[in-house]
Amino acid sequence: LSVCSKICYAIGGAPNQVAGSAASFFLQIYLLDIAHITPFHASLVLFIGKASGAVTDPVAGFFISKSRWTKIGRLMPWVLACTPFTIISYFLMWYLPPFVSGRVAWYLTFHCLFQALTTLFQVPYSALTMFLSTDQKDRDSATAYRMTMEVLGTLIGAALQGQIVASAHVSPHCTVNPSVNTTDSWHDTPSIPDPSDPLSHQVIYMIAAGVIASVYLLGIVVLFLGVKERDDPYALHSDRAIPFCKGLALTMKHGPYVKLTASFLLISTAVQLEQGNFVLFCTHAAGLRNHFQYLVVTILVSAVVSVPFWQKFLQRFGKKCAACGISWMIPFAVMLVTIPNLILAYFVAFVSGLSIAASLLLPWSMLPDVVDNFRLQNPHGKGHETIFYSSYVFFTKMSAGIGLGISAAGLEFTGYKPGICRQSDDVILTLKLLIGAVPAILILLGLFILLFYPITEESRKETKLALEELR
């Protein structure tokens, strides 16, 4: 597999990450402080949106598994067809409608559409890994290229969004030191100008949405021109595609897949909680409202730089050993919660980037090994790859949606008030728990489950030799 093909494949995944990163870091604070909807309604938008994307995963897997081979492949037509609708839904997701009473329905509709359409892109795109090459090293290398570019896309999305919309969340009224001025009037000072002002934050967010939406076109063109999809290299002409429901039942009984999915389900939820609440934490709990966009960039630059390191690490020491790097963020996040210091915040951001890079690279590097293991146990079936990838994305999205929904509901329960400079002590405590304690517990549970993951480096080599003999 040529380096050019790997790079083109990697670039194709960047647009989804650019848009997803902007939404992960900024959608919650946008809904609360710009659209002025309640935390409860924001939790509904976040949870139902993620759930709609999760439900779309098995549906997408079902229809893709039924697709016939075309001149451009079996997976590529799905990627191309959903792109223009994804761009439109993303743009409208950041639009502030002139009416107030129906805003919740507006954001719910377009967030659900965006999540569902990105799923229709992500499932065939991620499954395409299995149809680039039959060599495990080639696939691992392509996955590393892809993760590097996707983390870079995450960085670009957060940086673009953060730099463009930062002025919408900075107000001179909120720079007063609370220890000097603790009157009720300071607590109730609105930090957000009236969003109906045509020169206010609506225009800023629409510019950001337009810039990020345009990235989709570039990424898809490069993917289409630079990547050639191959047919199933192991299947015989006499082999039949596994029926979707039967294939789903078989995957749910496949031990390595169950352990891998359960582990990274918890870990990805922890990462989503960090992303979804980090800007709120910096703004309201850590006194870093003027630095949050730079902290986000620090996290993602660290993640981009460290992906090649993790790729070399897992090649030398094994994939299960590399998973320990995910736990590095735990002690530093707890320190940031207990000692909200600016220098410490940047150090925590750097270490968190290292851990996030490991959490992004490892599951997509380990999933092809699981598919190979399943192929060896079921040698006369084909078409199961999309079932594995769609069900994996389903579980991780559903868990992330539940986590984000619960976190937003927790802010509602503790009395979060949009548009004020200083939140109550209960809200600040909730944000600290969502950044520190809850992700730490989820990561530790996920790593404990991963201890029982049965595929080792030795078994990978044995599977490779057996599949080569089969081919």
Side-chain angles (χ1 to χ4, degrees):
L1 192 64
S2 68
V3 173
C4 180
S5 294
K6 294 176 187 177
I7 293 175
C8 291
Y9 173 66
I11 290 175
N16 247 9
Q17 301 307 314
V18 172
S21 170
S24 294
F25 280 107
F26 293 96
L27 183 58
Q28 181 164 268
I29 197 170
Y30 169 81
L31 294 174
L32 294 174
D33 288 356
I34 306 299
H36 285 187
I37 68 176
T38 67
F40 174 73
H41 288 133
S43 71
L44 288 180
V45 172
L46 294 172
F47 169 69
I48 296 175
K50 286 284 186 181
S52 67
V55 170
T56 309
D57 283 299
V59 176
F62 173 79
F63 285 107
I64 292 170
S65 66
K66 299 289 186 182
S67 300
R68 295 182 178 181
W69 183 265
T70 67
K71 292 182 179 180
I72 59 173
R74 186 163 59 94
L75 303 175
M76 194 68 75
W78 288 87
V79 173
L80 297 177
C82 66
T83 298
F85 302 103
T86 305
I87 293 172
I88 294 171
S89 63
Y90 178 80
F91 190 77
L92 293 176
M93 188 173 71
W94 298 97
Y95 176 70
L96 191 68
F99 47 84
V100 177
S101 59
R103 280 183 185 173
V104 175
W106 176 277
Y107 292 117
L108 184 61
T109 299
F110 288 105
H111 189 219
C112 288
L113 279 174
F114 173 71
Q115 291 292 338
L117 289 165
T118 53
T119 294
L120 288 175
F121 175 95
Q122 189 67 27
V123 170
Y125 172 76
S126 56
L128 191 60
T129 308
M130 300 301 299
F131 301 97
L132 297 177
S133 173
T134 59
D135 187 79
Q136 289 180 351
K137 289 184 178 180
D138 267 349
R139 292 200 306 251
D140 285 348
S141 178
T143 300
Y145 274 84
R146 171 192 160 195
M147 286 300 107
T148 303
M149 194 59 67
E150 287 194 354
V151 176
L152 183 60
T154 304
L155 166 63
I156 292 171
L160 280 175
Q161 187 87 356
Q163 294 300 319
I164 294 173
V165 308
S167 60
H169 300 286
V170 176
S171 171
H173 298 293
C174 294
T175 58
V176 180
N177 189 338
S179 61
V180 177
N181 186 350
T182 57
T183 61
D184 290 338
S185 62
W186 186 88
H187 283 266
D188 295 331
T189 302
S191 64
I192 308 301
D194 182 2
S196 62
D197 182 355
L199 298 178
S200 103
H201 309 141
Q202 176 183 355
V203 176
I204 296 174
Y205 268 93
M206 292 306 293
I207 292 172
V211 171
I212 291 176
S214 64
V215 176
Y216 264 96
L217 292 176
L218 176 63
I220 298 307
V221 169
V222 172
L223 176 68
F224 177 70
L225 296 178
V227 175
K228 183 178 180 181
E229 180 183 345
R230 300 173 59 185
D231 204 353
D232 191 337
Y234 295 114
L236 303 174
H237 291 295
S238 59
D239 290 346
R240 293 185 177 183
I242 298 176
F244 182 82
C245 293
K246 180 183 177 182
L248 187 60
L250 289 173
T251 58
M252 292 300 103
K253 296 176 183 177
H254 192 58
Y257 179 70
V258 172
K259 293 180 176 66
L260 179 70
T261 302
S263 172
F264 282 97
L265 181 149
L266 295 170
I267 292 170
S268 64
T269 302
V271 173
Q272 286 285 333
L273 284 174
E274 291 273 359
Q275 286 184 331
N277 293 284
F278 187 76
V279 176
L280 282 171
F281 173 79
C282 291
T283 303
H284 298 298
L288 301 171
R289 67 170 63 242
N290 293 324
H291 297 273
F292 70 79
Q293 67 269 36
Y294 307 113
L295 290 168
V296 169
V297 170
T298 302
I299 292 174
L300 297 173
V301 167
S302 172
V304 171
V305 172
S306 61
V307 168
F309 161 77
W310 286 118
Q311 176 65 13
K312 295 291 185 183
F313 188 95
L314 64 87
Q315 286 178 345
R316 182 167 183 178
F317 299 102
K319 297 178 181 180
K320 287 180 67 174
C321 184
C324 297
I326 300 171
S327 64
W328 291 358
M329 73 166 68
I330 295 175
F332 297 101
V334 173
M335 287 173 62
L336 178 62
V337 167
T338 54
I339 313 170
N341 176 273
L342 180 60
I343 297 176
L344 178 62
Y346 277 100
F347 187 67
V348 171
F350 174 78
V351 176
S352 297
L354 298 178
S355 297
I356 289 172
S359 70
L360 292 174
L361 175 63
L362 282 171
W364 296 111
S365 180
M366 297 166 84
L367 196 55
D369 301 335
V370 173
V371 176
D372 281 346
N373 183 271
F374 181 85
R375 158 71 77 181
L376 194 60
Q377 297 181 20
N378 301 270
H380 296 295
K382 62 179 181 178
H384 55 277
E385 293 83 5
T386 52
I387 300 174
F388 273 98
Y389 281 86
S390 63
S391 55
Y392 175 79
V393 178
F394 166 78
F395 287 118
T396 53
K397 278 189 177 180
M398 184 62 76
S399 64
I402 292 172
L404 290 174
I406 291 175
S407 71
L411 294 176
E412 167 82 13
F413 180 75
T414 52
Y416 181 92
K417 296 180 180 178
I420 66 172
C421 294
R422 182 174 175 82
Q423 300 291 337
S424 68
D425 291 339
D426 290 338
V427 173
I428 293 174
L429 176 61
T430 301
L431 288 170
K432 289 181 176 180
L433 290 174
L434 292 172
I435 287 294
V438 177
I441 293 171
L442 292 174
I443 289 172
L444 291 175
L445 287 174
L447 293 177
F448 177 74
I449 294 173
L450 198 62
L451 290 174
F452 301 96
Y453 176 71
I455 298 179
T456 61
E457 296 306 304
E458 291 74 18
S459 65
R460 283 181 64 215
K461 294 176 182 177
E462 293 171 1
T463 300
K464 177 183 177 181
L465 291 174
L467 286 177
E468 287 299 320
E469 181 67 22
L470 176 67
R471 189 165 68 95

